[in-house]
Amino acid sequence: MTRKTPELLAPAGSLAMLDTAFSFGASAIYAGQPRYSLRVRNNDFGDLPVLADGIQRAHALGKKFYVVANIYPHGAKIKTFIKDIAPVIALGPDALIMSDPGLIMMVRENFPDMSIHLSVQANTVNAAAVRFWKMAGISRVILSRELSIDEITSIRQDCPDTELEVFIHGALCIAYSGRCLLSGYFNHRDPNQGSCTNSCRWDFKTHEGKSDASGDVYLLEEPSKRAGEYMPIEEDEHGTYILNSKDLRAIEHVQRLTEIGIDSFKIEGRTKSPYYVARTCQAYRQAIDDAVAGRGLDPALLGQLEGLANRGYTDGFLQRHTPHETQNYLRGHSESGRSLYVGDVVSFDAERGMAEIASKNGFGIGDRLELVHPAGNSEIRVDRLVSPSGDEIQRVPGSDHRVWLPLPADSVGAFVARFL
């Protein structure tokens, strides 16, 4: 049976991330307009010349570029939206990713030929909603993260003429597909306007206390910024969900989702690094190609994704779990379980036969490194390190250093990871 190849859609907050995503197998990227997107920080595409450059680079490679405008705007942003979005649309992005019905209506009225994808922020969880949005002129629906594979299958069967997209990797929110108020409450920075401070991932402490209304209660404290402020934890029969979630990793479900006929697999992470994009795109590219060819999942891909900083992995709601399995109560910081990103190969000296590394973390003699490259990965053991001044050294102490080591010329452009 011939299966169609789903799109691999990668995040980009910069041209470097865009180039990396395409080099490592992405079919398309998505990037936001800061004023109208849910990611304000780490976003270079608010600059129209940079956005134009990105769209041109994508199209030159036969790839696609989607622009995110998925906030739920208050009135002030409505007044400026058409003026601000017109020059963006003039650059020729392949689609806008949107969620607010009012903004969608305004684009339909002013730019009837512009393709629109419905953001996950719209929380589409059933086939009737997909049909409604198709009637409103939506060409693709990004399904809610709260759906199981069986529910996705049912929607696919009931809506065969609408493109469907699902998230397969990245951070998860403790709220319903991102509709969270914690950051707005704590820091007056509204997640629904693009300025989330990830309050759910702070280092909360619990205390026993008293409540005038209900007797003994548990209290929550965030000691680094709000020591002495205690908030009661409310709990129902399922538990309490206020602490941070594990990260989504659904690579083990790529084969099934491909068989279902999902059109696009989406990686979350516009504020993350090019290394993150390289690793995720490389792994999911192989998983998709294997699924299309009828091959099973290569277990080595799970280990490669473990090497990324993560808060523990879950496959979310694709298979039903208990709250204990889907929430991460042990740690709020990122950990790297298999390898650590330590640098980039930036140049090669043919006379010396050595490559220059720009370091991101420490490594030294005897370490086993992995070179992560679009042409394929390789491993080496570090037996020599040379400083920029030509001295033999034993270790690179940390980030922002330059060092030379024996590597082949074709290693330029590789990311370097140290096995742990």
Side-chain angles (χ1 to χ4, degrees):
M1 179 180 66
T2 301
R3 297 170 181 157
K4 69 177 181 181
T5 301
E7 173 185 87
L8 178 58
L9 178 55
S14 65
L15 291 174
M17 287 182 70
L18 176 149
D19 291 337
T20 301
F22 289 143
S23 295
F24 282 86
S27 318
I29 66 98
Y30 62 102
Q33 276 292 285
R35 181 170 167 80
Y36 301 100
S37 151
L38 292 189
R39 288 293 181 268
V40 172
R41 68 189 191 280
N42 299 346
N43 188 344
D44 294 343
F45 292 105
D47 186 345
L48 282 178
V50 175
L51 181 61
D53 190 1
I55 293 172
Q56 291 168 2
R57 292 189 193 192
H59 292 170
L61 295 170
K63 312 279 188 173
K64 293 185 177 180
F65 190 115
Y66 305 137
V67 171
V68 184
N70 65 343
I71 65 165
Y72 285 95
H74 294 199
K77 289 186 178 179
I78 287 286
K79 296 176 182 178
T80 59
F81 177 68
I82 291 299
K83 175 179 68 69
D84 292 341
I85 204 68
V88 172
I89 292 176
L91 297 176
D94 295 280
L96 298 181
I97 299 175
M98 307 183 70
S99 56
D100 182 74
L103 293 188
I104 291 171
M105 177 188 69
M106 294 168 71
V107 170
R108 290 264 64 84
E109 291 174 346
N110 289 272
F111 311 98
D113 296 328
M114 186 70 235
S115 179
I116 299 177
H117 296 175
L118 188 70
S119 171
V120 72
Q121 292 299 119
N123 304 137
T124 305
V125 295
N126 61 70
V130 173
R131 291 194 295 270
F132 167 83
W133 286 111
K134 181 175 176 59
M135 291 172 57
I138 299 296
S139 60
R140 176 187 293 182
V141 172
I142 305 167
L143 295 175
S144 173
R145 294 181 178 98
E146 287 71 35
L147 292 173
S148 69
I149 289 181
D150 288 343
E151 290 171 317
I152 293 171
T153 301
S154 178
I155 293 172
R156 173 76 290 169
Q157 292 170 345
D158 292 343
C159 304
D161 55 350
T162 302
E163 290 186 9
L164 298 179
E165 178 176 308
V166 298
F167 276 89
I168 54 170
H169 197 92
L172 291 172
C173 295
I174 62 164
Y176 205 97
S177 280
R179 294 194 181 191
C180 181
L181 297 175
L182 280 181
S183 177
Y185 176 79
F186 286 130
N187 290 334
H188 305 291
R189 288 178 56 178
D190 188 350
N192 304 295
Q193 299 296 311
S195 40
C196 181
T197 56
N198 299 118
S199 305
C200 59
R201 294 176 184 142
W202 291 349
D203 183 19
F204 290 100
K205 305 296 182 186
T206 56
H207 306 271
E208 290 190 40
K210 292 285 186 181
S211 167
D212 292 339
S214 58
D216 293 339
V217 296
Y218 283 102
L219 304 172
L220 203 65
E221 178 192 22
E222 200 288 299
S224 66
K225 299 182 179 66
R226 289 167 180 78
E229 295 183 22
Y230 300 102
M231 298 165 283
I233 300 174
E234 296 181 359
E235 182 173 302
D236 61 18
E237 67 272 18
H238 300 295
T240 180
Y241 297 83
I242 197 166
L243 301 181
N244 66 101
S245 170
K246 294 181 179 180
D247 291 339
L248 175 66
R249 182 189 65 190
I251 196 166
E252 61 268 40
H253 299 301
V254 163
Q255 184 172 22
R256 178 67 182 129
L257 291 168
T258 299
E259 293 169 353
I260 290 169
I262 296 303
D263 297 278
S264 181
F265 293 143
K266 188 171 196 173
I267 297 168
E268 181 276 339
R270 279 182 280 158
T271 63
K272 296 187 178 179
S273 69
Y275 176 70
Y276 169 87
V277 170
R279 275 296 203 190
T280 52
C281 285
Q282 187 179 61
Y284 282 94
R285 176 77 276 152
Q286 180 182 333
I288 290 170
D289 291 345
D290 286 346
V292 171
R295 296 186 293 268
L297 174 68
D298 180 354
L301 299 179
L302 296 170
Q304 291 179 19
L305 294 172
E306 282 291 343
L308 289 172
N310 66 82
R311 293 176 171 85
Y313 281 128
T314 174
D315 57 359
F317 296 91
L318 292 171
Q319 295 184 110
R320 294 305 183 188
H321 294 286
T322 65
H324 175 71
E325 290 171 316
T326 56
Q327 295 302 116
N328 174 14
Y329 297 108
L330 298 179
R331 55 190 171 90
H333 61 287
S334 295
E335 290 184 359
S336 180
R338 177 176 177 267
S339 60
L340 176 69
Y341 173 39
V342 297
D344 304 322
V345 184
V346 295
S347 67
F348 180 76
D349 184 335
E351 184 175 342
R352 291 192 294 166
M354 302 186 80
E356 183 183 20
I357 309 296
S359 71
K360 302 296 182 182
N361 281 291
F363 64 98
I365 299 294
D367 285 341
R368 187 164 62 99
L369 304 182
E370 182 179 20
L371 304 181
V372 183
H373 195 279
N377 299 352
S378 59
E379 297 179 15
I380 66 161
R381 182 76 65 177
V382 180
D383 55 14
R384 188 183 180 202
L385 290 171
V386 179
S387 72
S389 61
D391 297 325
E392 300 279 341
I393 60 175
Q394 292 296 306
R395 185 164 186 82
V396 182
S399 64
D400 297 324
H401 293 272
R402 296 294 176 115
V403 66
W404 294 84
L405 69 161
L407 291 175
D410 59 7
S411 63
V412 174
F415 298 95
V416 184
R418 175 172 61 84
F419 287 101
L420 301 178

